[in-house]
Amino acid sequence: MCGRYASTRSPQDLAQLFQVAEWHPQEALEPSWNVAPTDDVWAVLERRPRGAGEDAPAPRALRPMRWGLVPSWAKDVKTGARLINARVETVHEKPAFRRAFVKRRCLLPADGFYEWEQVRDDTSGKVRKQPYFIHPEDGSVLALAGLYEFWRDPAVKDDDDDPAAWLLSCTIITTEATDAAGRVHPRMPLALPPDHYDAWLDPRHESTDGLRALLVQPAEGHLAARPVSTAVNNVRNNGPQLLEERT
C-alpha cells in the first residue's frame, strides 16, 4: 500500500511541470514532507465545465483533493479513510472505483513515498519497522496514477451550486513493487511516465482495456531508497528533516 508520501513543490512549479491551464491561488496548500490519509493533496485532472457538452474542451487543472476516496453513494466521509489505495489488478472491477476509473482519473504529484521494512534487532531479537523514503534518483517528480470522485454533503441543503456541498476526494493506484521499493515492501504506488499523462487524463478515453494498458509497472533502475527517522511515523511531524538519511 501507499500510506504516506511527500509533496513539497509549489503550485507554480506543478502547473509548469504538468502544463496546467487552470489553478486558483486561493486554493494553496502548504508543502508537506509527511502527507497522510485524509490530508488535502494536489491533483492534476482534466474536466469539462459543469453543464458543458461532450465536445466541450476539458482544461487541465490543478486542484486540491482529500486523500481517501469517498464514493458518491457513501453515507459519510469516513468511508474515505479505508479507500486511500486501489489495487491495479482490480481497480476496474471494484464498486468503489470502477466508475471513476472510466470517468474520473487524475495524477497526484509526489517527491517520493514512504514504506516500512520489518527489521529484527540482532541483540534483543525484537522486530521493529524501519521507514524508508523512496524517490526518483534524478530528483524528478512522481506522477502517481489516481482516481477522484465527488461526494454530495447532505448537510448542505438544496444548493448544488454551493462549493461546500461537494467534497472532492481521491485514491492512489498501487502495483507490485519493483526497483528499490521492492526490497522494502511488496506494493508501491504506480507512477505514470510523461508520455502516458495525456491519455490517462483525457476524459474522452473510456476504454477499460486501453486505460489498463497505460498502467504498466515502472521501469526498473530509477528509484532509490534510504532509511529515515521513525519520526515520520507520527503524522504530526513534518519538515525536510524527515527525508534525512538515518543509519
Side-chain angles (χ1 to χ4, degrees):
M1 66 177 295
C2 173
R4 216 67 70 76
Y5 68 97
S7 180
T8 66
R9 286 172 167 82
S10 70
Q12 294 89 342
D13 287 345
L14 294 176
Q16 183 175 8
L17 283 167
F18 290 96
Q19 299 179 330
V20 164
E22 177 185 307
W23 71 276
H24 304 291
Q26 67 271 25
E27 296 180 330
L29 298 178
E30 293 295 324
S32 179
W33 292 263
N34 198 2
V35 178
T38 74
D39 284 351
D40 284 345
V41 299
W42 284 123
V44 178
L45 68 152
E46 292 182 3
R47 184 170 177 81
R48 301 180 190 93
R50 188 177 177 186
E54 291 293 319
D55 295 331
R60 184 170 298 183
L62 183 67
R63 298 280 302 276
M65 299 184 183
R66 179 186 170 109
W67 183 19
L69 188 139
V70 182
S72 60
W73 42 260
K75 293 183 178 179
D76 57 54
V77 297
K78 295 178 181 178
T79 301
R82 302 191 300 272
L83 298 175
I84 64 170
N85 291 159
R87 294 174 66 93
V88 69
E89 296 88 351
T90 57
V91 64
H92 61 298
E93 300 170 338
K94 295 293 185 181
F97 304 128
R98 62 191 179 198
R99 183 67 174 169
F101 183 73
V102 174
K103 294 287 188 179
R104 289 175 287 277
R105 299 176 299 276
C106 60
L107 297 172
L108 304 170
D111 304 329
F113 57 95
Y114 298 96
E115 291 294 358
W116 283 258
E117 179 184 32
Q118 291 193 345
V119 178
R120 184 177 298 276
D121 187 285
D122 293 336
T123 303
S124 66
K126 294 182 178 180
V127 175
R128 61 182 176 85
K129 288 187 175 181
Q130 171 62 54
Y132 283 79
F133 183 62
I134 301 166
H135 59 96
E137 288 181 336
D138 60 3
S140 60
V141 68
L142 287 172
L144 308 182
L147 310 175
Y148 69 95
E149 191 57 270
F150 289 91
W151 179 77
R152 178 64 166 86
D153 186 349
V156 180
K157 302 297 184 181
D158 304 325
D159 187 0
D160 285 350
D161 292 326
D162 184 347
W166 298 94
L167 173 70
L168 193 56
S169 62
C170 61
T171 190
I172 294 173
I173 297 176
T174 65
T175 186
E176 290 185 5
T178 61
D179 225 11
R183 299 192 292 272
V184 178
H185 192 274
R187 303 291 295 182
M188 66 181 286
L190 197 156
L192 291 182
D195 59 348
H196 285 182
Y197 293 175
D198 291 350
W200 178 251
L201 295 176
D202 187 349
R204 298 168 300 178
H205 191 180
E206 298 185 355
S207 164
T208 298
D209 290 341
L211 291 167
R212 285 181 56 76
L214 299 173
L215 300 175
V216 296
Q217 285 202 349
E220 296 183 10
H222 300 295
L223 293 177
R226 62 173 178 266
V228 295
S229 169
T230 54
V232 73
N233 296 354
N234 189 328
V235 297
R236 291 188 294 271
N237 294 328
N238 213 317
Q241 72 277 5
L242 295 180
L243 305 188
E244 295 176 359
E245 184 167 5
R246 299 294 176 91
T247 57

